[in-house]
Amino acid sequence: MSDNQGSAVAQAVGTMLDARGIKESFGTLTVLKGIDLAVGRGEVVVVMGPSGSGKSTFLRCLTFPEEPDAGTVRVGDITIKAGAAKNQNDRRELRRNAGMVFQHFNLFPHKTVIENVMEGPIAVRKMEKARARALAMDLLAKVGLADHADYYPSRLSGGQQQRVAIARALAMEPQVMLFNEPTSALDPELVGEVLAVMKNLAREGMTMVVVTHEIAFAQDVADRVMFMDGGVVVEEGTPGQLFTSAREERTRRFLGLINRQPQGTPGKPVF
């Protein structure tokens, strides 16, 4: 599937996320050279690429914790142009529309599991405490951790902490979920429980952009796979197209290396 085909699919089902011309540099190093991505309602797009390809930086640019040098991002009804006067209200609304799950769980260690999940709805959405607690319990049940609601994060495994992080992101009721290497910091035996939660979200119709090297997950869940290298999109297509008949030699070489590694192998932080 070409970039134009991907955009056509997104437009046909209603574009939930639209990023255009995203560029970013760190000093003299150009990390992103003008990335475009349109994601339709209910689509799951997996982004793959080697360390330093720019994929994680691109994901951070979508909600502006990383300020891109150029480009425009729209999530839902909120559009933000890089370099324009910073409108904090728009940025807060955009982040509410796009839930982010990071490599590391970033839970508040002094709060219980349910308090971590309740924090956003109460502090940002101004939700009444009883309603926030009911929502948090529903979401903890969704990720299989309702019986751990009163635990502190230190009592949880890495996989359990990441599932709490997913519930916390869902508590903001986002229109799009962004996952940045959500299993790379986990021991291999814990990866499956996190991927199972993500697969369920995809089956329920959640719009998702996932930076990952988990090929089996991409094959099962992704509508499109986008391969990045050197700050550009080398090619994209359906999992069947990319994993069996990639056009570009660079893509084929990368996938060959990934296929020789055990899935769930912890990775290192990347651009």
Side-chain angles (χ1 to χ4, degrees):
M1 181 184 295
S2 70
D3 293 350
N4 289 337
Q5 287 175 311
S7 297
V9 169
Q11 291 168 5
V13 297
T15 304
M16 296 297 291
L17 183 153
D18 194 15
R20 295 291 158 193
I22 303 299
K23 297 181 180 180
E24 176 68 316
S25 298
F26 299 146
T28 60
L29 176 63
T30 301
V31 179
L32 300 175
K33 301 177 181 178
I35 305 296
D36 297 334
L37 175 64
V39 184
R41 185 186 304 275
E43 262 199 301
V44 178
V45 177
V46 165
V47 183
M48 291 186 164
S51 177
S53 63
K55 57 191 185 298
S56 291
T57 298
F58 174 62
L59 207 66
R60 292 195 299 271
C61 285
L62 296 179
T63 55
F64 288 83
E66 190 79 55
E67 180 77 28
D69 296 329
T72 302
V73 177
R74 179 176 66 79
V75 180
D77 297 327
I78 303 298
T79 300
I80 297 179
K81 184 176 181 179
K86 293 180 173 61
N87 184 321
Q88 294 304 320
N89 288 333
D90 279 354
R91 287 169 188 247
R92 279 192 294 269
E93 189 64 24
L94 184 141
R95 289 172 186 144
R96 283 178 57 176
N97 289 345
M100 176 75 86
V101 177
F102 300 92
Q103 289 174 307
H104 302 286
F105 327 120
N106 299 333
L107 301 178
F108 296 115
H110 61 289
K111 292 181 180 290
T112 64
V113 163
I114 194 166
E115 288 170 342
N116 267 277
V117 179
M118 292 170 62
E119 178 71 16
I122 291 173
V124 179
R125 298 178 59 198
K126 309 303 179 186
M127 187 179 290
E128 192 270 331
K129 187 173 181 180
R131 184 182 168 206
R133 184 175 183 85
L135 172 63
M137 285 302 300
D138 286 345
L139 291 172
L140 288 173
K142 180 188 286 284
V143 301
L145 290 171
D147 57 344
H148 290 62
D150 295 323
Y151 286 28
Y152 285 91
S154 60
R155 293 187 60 189
L156 304 181
S157 70
Q160 290 170 330
Q161 290 188 59
Q162 191 62 295
R163 284 188 279 155
V164 174
I166 293 172
R168 181 181 60 184
L170 290 171
M172 297 300 290
E173 298 184 336
Q175 297 178 0
V176 179
M177 284 285 286
L178 309 176
F179 294 86
N180 188 9
E181 298 275 13
T183 61
S184 67
L186 300 178
D187 292 335
E189 62 268 22
L190 302 178
V191 168
E193 64 190 57
V194 174
L195 294 180
V197 170
M198 294 169 62
K199 288 179 182 180
N200 285 336
L201 290 177
R203 293 187 188 106
E204 291 171 1
M206 175 62 72
T207 306
M208 297 163 60
V209 180
V210 185
V211 171
T212 185
H213 289 164
E214 299 288 345
I215 286 182
F217 171 83
Q219 289 173 322
D220 287 346
V221 176
D223 297 292
R224 279 187 284 151
V225 179
M226 185 169 81
F227 176 67
M228 291 180 61
D229 192 23
V232 301
V233 178
V234 176
E235 65 178 304
E236 68 173 300
T238 66
Q241 290 169 336
L242 224 68
F243 296 150
T244 62
S245 56
R247 300 186 309 272
E248 302 294 330
E249 170 59 26
R250 181 67 187 95
T251 310
R252 292 193 295 271
R253 188 165 68 249
F254 172 80
L255 292 174
L257 291 172
I258 291 296
N259 278 322
R260 288 198 290 272
Q261 295 178 2
Q263 292 295 288
T265 301
K268 59 183 179 180
V270 293
F271 287 127

